[in-house]
């Protein structure tokens, strides 16, 4: 499966990011078929798009559990690629997307032009991509967290893959990143080395951490791995709209940090305006990256099913989710 990673360039609309999948992408064309599971006759029903990365799966796991056990809904979840999910949402095949990293073309077409999709507000989590080093190394060398000092540590970050230069580890070669341009334009003595996939990148980070070795990696938050391997971000030149606009015209010219993206919810307009408890609940759904990472780690690292992870989080945090329930 070809997996998209990040649309890193551009101001405003283009500042969004498209996070890669942690598992196989659903290939169903949801614009041409209904949900594979239909609610029993007369039952309250809602269909949620499950994006393919684990953070989005965590959102859906918790929302699904609460819709079923607190509001008595029948919940279908459909895994579908990001762009087809917007098409499905527009046509009412899906009722809600709970985490979107920015799709300005779809927002223009379906929200502004057609009015078939309604913005549901932020889910409380902010997405951000950057360069990271392990905290155990940054504690010993605090100045490594400024990009201007990276060349000073290049020799400590050499690997067999990076040769005489320091290694900047990326995930899959299919990722659309700014890293090669940044290394070149910031005159850094580093080589971008691809682990091959996100799973391989996670394994490599865990191995480095187990051996307490230094590393520099392209990474992002929210991400459950921070719970197991604390990392500190390296400060790159400040992101600006002017830098992004320049980079949109010529990606090789980019020389600033990645943008920060508040993650958004989107609803089918008829669903949003239908006055249902489900729509009110999903509009209220709002948590933190720590909450999301807690569920994500149970799914990705502990091997729990999404349903079981959602249940465990709900059992532990009634003080948070009770605020999401619609008022009677």
């Amino acid at each position: 499966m070809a997996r998209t990673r990040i649309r890193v360039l551009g101001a405003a609309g283009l500042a969004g990011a498209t996070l890669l999948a942690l598992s196989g992408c659903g290939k169903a064309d949801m614009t041409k078929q209904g949900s594979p599971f239909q609610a029993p006759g007369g039952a309250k029903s809602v269909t949620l798009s499950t994006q393919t990365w684990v953070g989005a799966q965590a959102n859906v796991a918790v929302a699904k559990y609460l819709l079923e056990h607190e509001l008595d809904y029948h919940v279908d979840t459909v895994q579908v690629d990001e762009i087809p999910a917007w098409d499905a949402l527009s046509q009412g095949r899906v009722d809600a997307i709970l985490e979107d990293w920015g799709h300005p073309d779809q927002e223009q077409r379906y929200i502004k032009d057609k009015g078939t999709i309604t913005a549901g507000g932020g889910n409380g989590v902010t997405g951000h991509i950057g360069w990271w080093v392990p905290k155990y190394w940054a504690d010993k060398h605090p100045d490594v967290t400024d990009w201007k000092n990276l060349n000073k540590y290049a020799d400590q970050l050499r690997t067999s893959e990076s040769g005489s230069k320091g290694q900047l580890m990326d995930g899959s070669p299919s990722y659309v990143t700014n890293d090669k341009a940044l290394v070149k334009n910031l005159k850094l003595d580093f080589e971008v080395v691809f682990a091959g996939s996100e799973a391989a990148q996670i394994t490599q980070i865990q191995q480095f951490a187990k051996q307490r070795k230094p590393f520099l990696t392209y990474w992002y938050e929210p991400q459950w791995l921070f719970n197991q391997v604390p990392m500190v971000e390296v400060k790159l030149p400040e992101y600006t709209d002017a830098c992004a606009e320049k980079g949109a015209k010529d990606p090789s010219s980019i020389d600033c940090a990645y943008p920060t993206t508040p993650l958004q919810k989107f609803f089918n307009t008829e669903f949003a305006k239908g006055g249902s408890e489900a729509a009110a609940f999903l509009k209220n759904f709002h948590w933190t990256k720590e909450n999301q990472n807690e569920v994500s780690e149970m799914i990705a690292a502990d091997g729990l099913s999404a349903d079981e992870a959602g249940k465990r989080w709900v059992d532990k945090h009634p003080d948070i989710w009770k605020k999401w329930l619609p008022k009677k």
Side-chain angles (χ1 to χ4, degrees):
M1 172 193 68
R3 300 190 296 183
T4 53
R5 185 58 176 90
I6 298 297
R7 291 183 297 116
V8 292
L9 302 175
L14 288 182
T18 301
L19 205 56
L20 74 156
L22 286 178
S23 59
C25 294
K27 296 300 183 183
D29 181 355
M30 287 301 296
T31 68
K32 297 180 180 179
Q33 64 182 49
S35 168
F37 307 103
Q38 297 297 329
K44 297 186 297 182
S45 177
V46 60
T47 302
L48 304 179
S49 173
T50 303
Q51 306 299 73
T52 50
W53 54 93
V54 71
Q57 293 169 8
N59 300 328
V60 171
V62 170
K64 177 178 184 288
Y65 186 86
L66 289 169
L67 283 164
E68 290 177 339
H69 292 85
E70 294 293 326
L71 299 177
D72 297 321
Y73 271 81
H74 172 91
V75 180
D76 294 336
T77 62
V78 181
Q79 185 169 293
V80 58
D81 290 339
E82 291 168 280
I83 300 303
W86 277 80
D87 300 333
L89 189 64
S90 173
Q91 294 195 8
R93 304 296 186 181
V94 168
D95 294 313
I97 294 172
L98 299 184
E99 179 170 309
D100 186 86
W101 285 65
H103 289 86
D105 292 343
Q106 282 65 38
E107 291 176 38
Q108 177 66 44
R109 179 181 305 122
Y110 292 127
I111 296 177
K112 297 178 182 178
D113 296 344
K114 293 186 175 183
T116 53
I117 292 177
T118 297
N123 70 9
V125 179
T126 297
H128 177 64
I129 299 161
W131 292 359
W132 305 79
V133 295
K135 185 177 184 299
Y136 56 76
W137 191 47
D139 286 345
K140 295 180 179 178
H141 307 283
D143 62 334
V144 77
T145 59
D146 187 329
W147 71 269
K148 296 177 182 177
N149 299 318
L150 284 176
N151 281 343
K152 174 180 173 183
Y153 295 98
D155 60 339
Q156 295 188 41
L157 295 167
R158 290 174 186 164
T159 66
S160 58
E161 290 81 10
S162 66
S164 62
K165 298 182 177 182
Q167 174 176 283
L168 169 57
M169 180 167 54
D170 276 41
S172 168
S174 68
Y175 297 174
V176 181
T177 79
N178 298 335
D179 288 358
K180 289 188 176 181
L182 284 168
V183 166
K184 178 178 178 290
N185 296 329
L186 299 181
K187 297 179 171 57
L188 298 176
D189 190 24
F190 281 77
E191 184 75 24
V192 176
V193 176
F194 294 96
S197 67
E198 186 186 56
Q201 190 177 10
I202 289 173
T203 297
Q204 186 65 73
I205 290 172
Q206 291 173 326
Q207 289 176 348
F208 279 133
K210 185 177 181 179
Q211 299 169 17
R212 306 293 283 184
K213 289 184 176 180
F215 63 84
L216 173 66
T217 189
Y218 165 101
W219 205 234
Y220 60 90
E221 56 181 2
Q223 228 290 339
W224 61 268
L225 187 62
F226 285 106
N227 293 350
Q228 297 186 357
V229 183
M231 289 181 265
V232 180
E233 186 173 8
V234 174
K235 185 177 180 181
L236 293 169
E238 183 179 1
Y239 171 86
T240 65
D241 287 349
C243 173
E245 289 167 0
K246 176 184 67 172
K249 296 176 182 177
D250 178 10
S252 68
S253 72
I254 198 77
D255 58 3
C256 65
Y258 291 88
T260 295
T261 307
L263 306 184
Q264 301 296 311
K265 299 173 292 184
F266 291 97
F267 305 144
N268 172 270
T269 296
E270 289 187 10
F271 171 75
K273 294 182 177 179
S276 69
E277 288 185 314
F281 166 78
L282 293 173
K283 186 174 182 180
N284 292 340
F285 182 95
H286 188 275
W287 61 352
T288 66
K289 70 176 182 181
E290 289 80 13
N291 298 148
Q292 188 186 92
N293 283 343
E294 184 178 347
V295 181
S296 296
E297 186 174 15
M298 285 190 276
I299 296 171
D302 299 339
L304 297 184
S305 69
D307 287 343
E308 179 61 23
K311 178 184 185 302
R312 291 193 186 188
W313 187 90
V314 166
D315 288 345
K316 186 177 178 181
H317 298 286
D319 56 318
I320 298 174
W321 60 259
K322 284 187 176 181
K323 299 174 184 177
W324 307 339
L325 299 177
K327 296 181 179 179
K328 300 292 186 180

